[in-house]
Amino acid sequence: MNMTVTTRTPATPVAPTRSRLRPLGLDEVTIHGGFWGHRQEVNGRATLAHIAGWLEREGWIANFDLAASGRLPAGRRGREFSDSEVYKYLEAVAWEIGRLGGAGGAGGAGGAGDDGADAATVDAVAELEAQFRAVVARVAAAQEPDGYLNTRFGRPGQEPRWENLEWGHELYNLGHLFQAAVARVRTRPDADDGLIDIARRSADLVCEVFGEGGIESVCGHAEIEVGLVELARATGEKRYLRQAQLFVERRGTGVLPDIEFGRSYYQDDMPVRDADVLRGHAVRANYLAAGAVDLAVETADDGLLDALGRQWTNTVARRTYVTGGQGSHHQDEAFGDDFELPPDRAYSETCAGVASVMFSWRMLLAQGEARYADLIERTLFNVVATSPSAEGTAFYYANTLHQRRPAEHASADEVSPRASSSLRAPWFEVSCCPPNVARTFASLAAYVATADADGVQLHQYAPATIRTTIDDGREVALEVETAYPAEGSVRVRMLTDAAEPWTLSLRVPAWAESARLVVRLSGEELVQTFEAQPGMVSYSRAFAAGDVVELELPIVPRFTSPDPRIDAVRGCLVVERGPEVYALESVDLVEAGIGATDVADILLDATVPPREVDGRVLVGVRERHPEIGPWPYGDEVDAAPVGASVQEVALVPYHDWAERGPSTMRVWIPV
Amino acid sequence: MNMTVTTRTPATPVAPTRSRLRPLGLDEVTIHGGFWGHRQEVNGRATLAHIAGWLEREGWIANFDLAASGRLPAGRRGREFSDSEVYKYLEAVAWEIGRLGGAGGAGGAGGAGDDGADAATVDAVAELEAQFRAVVARVAAAQEPDGYLNTRFGRPGQEPRWENLEWGHELYNLGHLFQAAVARVRTRPDADDGLIDIARRSADLVCEVFGEGGIESVCGHAEIEVGLVELARATGEKRYLRQAQLFVERRGTGVLPDIEFGRSYYQDDMPVRDADVLRGHAVRANYLAAGAVDLAVETADDGLLDALGRQWTNTVARRTYVTGGQGSHHQDEAFGDDFELPPDRAYSETCAGVASVMFSWRMLLAQGEARYADLIERTLFNVVATSPSAEGTAFYYANTLHQRRPAEHASADEVSPRASSSLRAPWFEVSCCPPNVARTFASLAAYVATADADGVQLHQYAPATIRTTIDDGREVALEVETAYPAEGSVRVRMLTDAAEPWTLSLRVPAWAESARLVVRLSGEELVQTFEAQPGMVSYSRAFAAGDVVELELPIVPRFTSPDPRIDAVRGCLVVERGPEVYALESVDLVEAGIGATDVADILLDATVPPREVDGRVLVGVRERHPEIGPWPYGDEVDAAPVGASVQEVALVPYHDWAERGPSTMRVWIPV
């Protein structure tokens, strides 16, 4: 029984009813191994169970049981947003079921199901299904007759409903509930767990309470906007879209109180359509922007979409770290001013990275420009992939770009109270990041490619199988073979014959300045080679099975300079290689036998280009050991001699740092 | 009736029973005009009334009335530390009465009283006395029979006493009460207002509750330690000293809970005597250090004093801004790691400056080294003097060294919720800084000079009269004539004849590399001139009235470089002149007719030394206007041409910035 679903949408996190590019579902794209396939595998094998364990251990699922049995507020544990972590977990599991078990229905196309799922996968899906249903049942039991669903508010002895909108996160929590329900209905439209009905009842209540004539305010933490539009898309219920529109339009008119951080903290300082740049809390700002893009697309509001494009452009040009990270302030987890991008206090919250991917992906679907996929790639490799440990059971919440003291290691068995300390920890008092990473990894295949009337566009490079139809219903199937980003070759092999020409487009990242497209048609000797400029490179043909289109990206290490207005990294360079940012970690100084054991004592020799040997990126450095005098300012404080000899040291991909014991680290290295 | 005072101590904020140098009271040193005399005058005329008005308006004094009439908790306003602002206000008023009305008793020596106080001063003192007594009476009425005094805890409907030590500030509040009572009893030992008895009753309760066998913990915010030692000194009650010792020794043993910021936030991460550097919340760290010096001195604990000296040395060498400001983090108002000193997010809280002066002053008294007075001078001119507006009715809470966007102006009539935003505002939700500045300015004369068995030492330079006795009881009187820091001459004229030689010592600041001491003895033609190295320069003689010892300090503008480990200001210089740090403010770019209107577009020409013309400090600058590209990292982002012409622009003393409308500002200027 699933009477509430009225619209079939693809098995993907964002499914606009109109857009420049059409997203492909998890039933259309499958990643096989490689950098991201490995991340997905660890996520499915270790991270989801890890999260489920901590949600139980911390009592955040049990809060729903307490609610159902009328025992609240006694015994409730966790912060006011703990319900949302349960919903994000459900969303992640829904995508994972879709990924492993074939999305789009019991017999959906694509995915492991298509390839003949092995017994272990079948077991894994069955277990995830059982877990998913069990948690949904506990959530369902806590929903009140009028649809209200929150374990923290509204009961005798609790704060009343809807009276602490600035900090209460009631609507925020529901936004994540809606996203989970949408993930479920898109990957298992026939499932009878009822999550979509729970979401609808809550959404209906929200529309009653916050609709025209209702409470004229918004949630302090944007998120319900994106949830409502997606729920509208998944259910066909226009009221939800209208409610999202009310929320987007109200924000910025001063409906929330002024606070220490200013109304900009929750983007209530100016209307969305008037703003030029993202500001305030970086997760809030990006979630809001993502929801506003969804709204603009569904309502054909080009003015709003233009405003969001402008905000994206200015935010990327002035307020984004080289990793793609966003948020310069620890205090308010917020964007700083233009060019205020300190590496040593980079907050660059993992969730802000996830949220930025959400915003960029929606802009990409709406406008089709490669720059959006460029930022997604940068952010996935250097923020989202940095958060989890290799084992997938500890996470960075903040992602510093400069560690001055050897990082202590968090206990593997305790909640860390210090989300902001750049420790990978198994769980946090505010534990938004682990499930946010998990839902992103589980749905990652959705970001690989899109389609339009004319063909298929590849945006992210991973070994993958893509089977879809282009807009006139023609089937297209292709295999992507690549070791990216270890190597720069992306080989696309056609799996089917096409009667009519269609266009394959591949993204050439902005950093790839001498890329080439090489076309090898089956049965033809001639190899065609084209120069490919950054942006999208396209090749049209009635491809035959076995035809190969190969993009050759120049993946060599390179120095990158900062804009001179970024004061905090003046006189420094960063090394990048392909989409990956590299870091100097003190363990590598020790390994190279350099006297200095702290990155503070190292200068980069910029006259020696970085080079790659046996898969390691090496740079030339010199040592300097200034004395520590009585006062760090004066004529002579900078007089320490620089070591005469240039020594070579290996850098580490930033996402892999802090995996080898306590170390100091810096991404920007002084010259 | 004042039966509880058993020990007469000088009218000064710190009165150790033994020390290397003996502090002089407000009855011994009077400042007449000049930079600091003007600040004292504004403080007395405008700031104290401003604070009294806001304390009433916000209900923070009325909280005591509510307590006295049994109406709490209903109607209580302000944060958990609002009581302390009332006590700091009382302390400021006590010093001001001492300053204006002659400290040390009704007919005390020195001060305005000595010079024949004019009628206006007599009226002002009478009014302050009346205000002081009125507020003390309201505080007294709120004290409970067992001595407990706090408007926020302990009553039905309030949180219980002493159960939220980490955040409750109960003991912190009392520390400020004790300092107020000590200020009163030292400046008006015969007053019958009873504040000292209130303090004693509270202190007695603290000893009962937190003494041996009592609650084995400490307050999350150090302050009671310094209050207890001073109260012990002022009353002779050894129990208070012992209690301070218990508090100092317990801290660092993990008696407080772990929190987001770590136990280092409240210095509970390691014992005071084991630490090498200040860390955590900068005000807490300095208040604790100040109290621990007091304790070490009173208990002859040289190991503890050594530890504090080491902490001072390392903190100044590695964790202090060029202004003397301390605290690099907004989030936890805390010190950062070594050399983590970002100018654009300098927190450099005004209260941390005050607290640093407290710590340094105690080290100076204990050890006599000029470096302590150097830091006091730097901090007074560049942090404490920066906080208040010229009118003395608006204050910086945080003191940024780099303002990227033109600072908005705070409303002159509203509480600012944004203490950290580098706005001078009339009052804050957390309004510790205004009364902290007021008590410092009112007692400023106490920091000018000290005495020892051999003579008198001048530490801070202001036009002043000093009358004291050196240790064998001989009277010494001298007049300091100077326009410092506008000019570098400090002329000390003897007012009395001495039968025996004594030594006048003057501090030569660390920046003064070619200072001279010039001695002109009355009745002698010969002028003696000596080179004076940084540190203390001394001259001994049986001085006669009219003898003049003049210190000539080289006050010319100079460039200062940062230690290369301070990443955030790499490639920048600061201009200093004497003890003052200068800043580039955008209003001066406009005034100089330079095309650039934002300090972001200015480079300093380091080949042109700064020069002084008509009292203005001028530097040569060039413009640069880089384009804002799509991505602020890459090969060409630093390629904007630098303007060919060098233009001159005036800098402003940092403490005077933001007095001429919204502007951008930077202290560290890229070369």
Side-chain angles (χ1 to χ4, degrees), chain A residues 260 337 405 417-418 567 666, chain B residues 260 337 417-418 567 666:
Chain A
E260 156 77 10
D337 287 335
R405 285 186 296 182
R418 278 178 290 289
D567 293 289
R666 64 189 309 163
Chain B
E260 156 78 10
D337 287 336
R418 279 177 288 289
D567 293 288
R666 63 190 309 163

Side-chain angles (χ1 to χ4, degrees), chain A residues 258-260 317 320 329 337 345 404-405 417-418 420 561 563-565 567 624 626-627 629 632-634 666, chain B residues 258-260 317 320 329 337 345 402 404-405 417-418 420 561 563-565 567 624 626-627 629 632-634 666:
Chain A
D258 196 9
I259 51 169
E260 156 77 10
T320 301
H329 294 179
D337 287 335
R345 288 291 277 178
R404 292 174 182 274
R405 285 186 296 182
R418 278 178 290 289
S420 65
S561 305
D563 186 288
R565 285 163 292 218
D567 293 289
R624 183 159 75 157
E627 300 269 306
Y633 309 100
R666 64 189 309 163
Chain B
D258 196 8
I259 52 170
E260 156 78 10
T320 301
H329 294 179
D337 287 336
R345 287 291 278 178
H402 185 178
R404 291 174 182 274
R405 282 185 298 181
R418 279 177 288 289
S420 64
S561 305
D563 186 286
R565 285 163 293 217
D567 293 288
R624 184 160 72 157
E627 300 268 306
Y633 310 100
R666 63 190 309 163

Side-chain angles (χ1 to χ4, degrees), chain A residues 61-279:
Chain A
I61 306 181
N63 288 338
F64 291 92
D65 307 336
L66 294 173
S69 59
R71 283 174 289 167
L72 287 178
R76 188 184 182 284
R77 294 169 65 192
R79 293 284 301 272
E80 58 276 27
F81 31 73
S82 67
D83 292 0
S84 77
E85 312 313 346
V86 178
Y87 304 146
K88 271 187 280 183
Y89 165 73
L90 286 176
E91 185 189 341
V93 174
W95 294 127
E96 185 68 5
I97 291 170
R99 183 180 83 86
L100 285 181
D114 247 19
D115 302 340
D118 60 24
T121 302
V122 171
D123 287 352
V125 170
E127 194 180 325
L128 287 169
E129 267 290 335
Q131 286 171 358
F132 184 89
R133 285 164 182 271
V135 174
V136 168
R138 292 164 75 181
V139 169
Q143 189 167 36
E144 299 183 36
D146 67 352
Y148 187 78
L149 181 55
N150 188 298
T151 65
R152 174 69 160 64
F153 289 92
R155 294 169 191 80
Q158 293 185 320
E159 289 177 66
R161 292 181 186 181
W162 317 125
E163 289 197 0
N164 183 3
L165 291 173
E166 63 272 29
W167 297 113
H169 289 73
E170 283 165 286
L171 294 167
Y172 164 87
N173 285 325
L174 294 180
H176 281 299
L177 172 69
F178 301 163
Q179 286 193 298
V182 167
R184 180 60 167 174
V185 80
R186 286 188 182 149
T187 50
R188 282 286 179 275
D190 302 324
D192 61 356
D193 53 79
L195 184 59
I196 190 72
D197 302 306
I198 299 170
R200 292 197 66 145
R201 281 194 293 270
S202 285
D204 290 343
L205 178 67
V206 168
C207 293
E208 279 166 38
V209 174
F210 290 89
E212 271 112 352
I215 300 173
E216 290 213 8
S217 192
V218 302
C219 185
H221 199 314
E223 159 65 23
I224 194 165
E225 297 82 358
V226 76
L228 280 168
V229 180
E230 282 278 277
L231 194 62
R233 288 164 170 169
T235 63
E237 177 57 74
K238 296 288 183 207
R239 273 212 300 170
Y240 305 155
L241 183 64
R242 174 61 188 151
Q243 187 59 50
Q245 190 170 32
L246 288 175
F247 283 141
V248 169
E249 287 179 354
R250 281 176 194 156
R251 193 177 299 265
T253 61
V255 291
L256 296 173
D258 196 9
I259 51 169
E260 156 77 10
F261 310 135
R263 286 201 178 90
S264 61
Y265 173 76
Y266 29 50
Q267 297 77 46
D268 192 32
D269 55 332
M270 68 175 67
V272 176
R273 82 176 61 235
D274 294 344
D276 286 327
V277 69
L278 297 190
R279 68 235 172 272

Side-chain angles (χ1 to χ4, degrees), chain B residues 78 154 210 217 240 250 315 319 385 448 454 456 471 491-493 515-516 590 658:
Chain B
F210 290 90
S217 193
Y240 304 156
R250 281 175 195 158
T315 302
R319 297 189 175 186
V448 166
D454 204 36
V456 169
D471 280 8
R491 200 161 168 272
V492 182
R493 190 164 47 83
R516 298 193 314 164
V590 176

Side-chain angles (χ1 to χ4, degrees), chain A residues 258-263 313 316-324 328-332 337-342 344-345 347 375 378 402-405 417-421 513 559-572 576 600-601 624-635 637-638 666 668 670, chain B residues 258-263 313 316-324 328-332 337-342 344-345 347 375 378 402-405 417-421 513 559-572 576 600-601 624-635 637-638 666 668 670:
Chain A
D258 196 9
I259 51 169
E260 156 77 10
F261 310 135
R263 286 201 178 90
T313 300
V316 172
R318 306 174 188 184
R319 299 189 174 187
T320 301
Y321 285 101
V322 69
T323 52
S328 308
H329 294 179
H330 279 238
Q331 185 186 29
D332 45 356
D337 287 335
D338 287 351
F339 303 110
E340 182 188 330
L341 294 162
D344 51 359
R345 288 291 277 178
Y347 198 65
L375 186 71
R378 185 174 287 276
H402 184 178
Q403 180 72 34
R404 292 174 182 274
R405 285 186 296 182
R418 278 178 290 289
S420 65
S421 72
E513 291 192 356
F559 285 139
T560 300
S561 305
D563 186 288
R565 285 163 292 218
I566 305 176
D567 293 289
V569 293
R570 179 172 289 110
C572 296
E576 298 182 278
D601 295 327
R624 183 159 75 157
H625 302 277
E627 300 269 306
I628 293 185
W631 180 242
Y633 309 100
D635 283 349
V637 291
D638 202 4
R666 64 189 309 163
W668 289 100
Chain B
D258 196 8
I259 52 170
E260 156 78 10
F261 310 136
R263 286 200 176 89
T313 299
V316 173
R318 306 173 189 185
R319 297 189 175 186
T320 301
Y321 284 101
V322 69
T323 53
S328 309
H329 294 179
H330 279 238
Q331 186 186 29
D332 44 357
D337 287 336
D338 288 351
F339 302 109
E340 183 188 329
L341 294 162
D344 51 359
R345 287 291 278 178
Y347 198 66
L375 187 70
R378 186 175 287 276
H402 185 178
Q403 180 72 36
R404 291 174 182 274
R405 282 185 298 181
R418 279 177 288 289
S420 64
S421 72
E513 288 192 357
F559 285 137
T560 300
S561 305
D563 186 286
R565 285 163 293 217
I566 305 176
D567 293 288
V569 293
R570 179 171 291 109
C572 297
E576 298 183 278
D601 294 326
R624 184 160 72 157
H625 302 277
E627 300 268 306
I628 295 185
W631 179 241
Y633 310 100
D635 284 347
V637 291
D638 202 3
R666 63 190 309 163
W668 290 99

Side-chain angles (χ1 to χ4, degrees), chain A residues 236-550:
Chain A
E237 177 57 74
K238 296 288 183 207
R239 273 212 300 170
Y240 305 155
L241 183 64
R242 174 61 188 151
Q243 187 59 50
Q245 190 170 32
L246 288 175
F247 283 141
V248 169
E249 287 179 354
R250 281 176 194 156
R251 193 177 299 265
T253 61
V255 291
L256 296 173
D258 196 9
I259 51 169
E260 156 77 10
F261 310 135
R263 286 201 178 90
S264 61
Y265 173 76
Y266 29 50
Q267 297 77 46
D268 192 32
D269 55 332
M270 68 175 67
V272 176
R273 82 176 61 235
D274 294 344
D276 286 327
V277 69
L278 297 190
R279 68 235 172 272
H281 189 277
V283 181
R284 285 163 215 248
N286 275 290
Y287 280 177
L288 175 63
V293 176
D294 282 339
L295 177 70
V297 164
E298 294 304 318
T299 58
D301 186 340
D302 291 342
L304 180 59
L305 190 63
D306 284 350
L308 292 157
R310 184 173 73 229
Q311 291 166 35
W312 190 97
T313 300
N314 287 333
T315 302
V316 172
R318 306 174 188 184
R319 299 189 174 187
T320 301
Y321 285 101
V322 69
T323 52
Q326 296 182 345
S328 308
H329 294 179
H330 279 238
Q331 185 186 29
D332 45 356
E333 303 183 312
F335 286 99
D337 287 335
D338 287 351
F339 303 110
E340 182 188 330
L341 294 162
D344 51 359
R345 288 291 277 178
Y347 198 65
S348 184
E349 184 182 336
T350 301
C351 287
V354 169
S356 161
V357 169
M358 288 168 57
F359 179 24
S360 295
W361 177 246
R362 284 159 173 81
M363 290 304 297
L364 177 62
L365 293 180
Q367 300 188 332
E369 295 173 27
R371 60 189 182 132
Y372 299 120
D374 278 357
L375 186 71
I376 290 172
E377 173 175 67
R378 185 174 287 276
T379 307
L380 286 175
F381 274 108
N382 301 298
V383 180
V384 182
T386 306
S387 173
S389 65
E391 295 76 23
T393 54
F395 303 84
Y396 281 134
Y397 184 112
N399 293 279
T400 189
L401 272 65
H402 184 178
Q403 180 72 34
R404 292 174 182 274
R405 285 186 296 182
E408 310 151 56
H409 274 239
S411 163
D413 197 42
E414 280 175 34
V415 173
S416 171
R418 278 178 290 289
S420 65
S421 72
S422 280
L423 285 176
R424 285 195 186 98
W427 203 248
F428 302 98
E429 285 185 6
V430 177
S431 215
C432 42
C433 296
N436 229 345
V437 169
R439 68 177 181 144
T440 305
F441 282 177
S443 60
L444 205 62
Y447 301 99
V448 166
T450 55
D452 63 7
D454 203 36
V456 169
Q457 302 80 38
L458 296 189
H459 304 287
Q460 305 300 332
Y461 298 124
T465 308
I466 301 171
R467 291 177 186 274
T468 186
T469 54
I470 52 179
D471 282 8
D472 56 1
R474 282 181 293 157
E475 289 193 2
V476 168
L478 46 90
E479 188 76 25
V480 181
E481 297 161 354
T482 182
Y484 189 87
E487 295 168 19
S489 159
V490 180
R491 200 161 166 274
V492 182
R493 191 164 48 82
M494 304 305 158
L495 300 178
T496 49
D497 295 317
E500 301 287 326
W502 61 276
T503 302
L504 175 68
S505 300
L506 298 105
R507 181 176 60 93
V508 181
W511 49 261
E513 291 192 356
S514 56
R516 298 194 313 165
L517 194 71
V518 181
V519 180
R520 295 182 191 84
L521 301 176
S522 59
E524 290 189 19
E525 293 272 314
L526 187 69
V527 175
Q528 303 171 65
T529 301
F530 307 90
E531 283 187 18
Q533 299 301 320
M536 295 303 281
V537 57
S538 298
Y539 190 87
S540 300
R541 183 177 176 84
F543 288 107
D547 286 353
V548 171
V549 177
E550 182 174 3

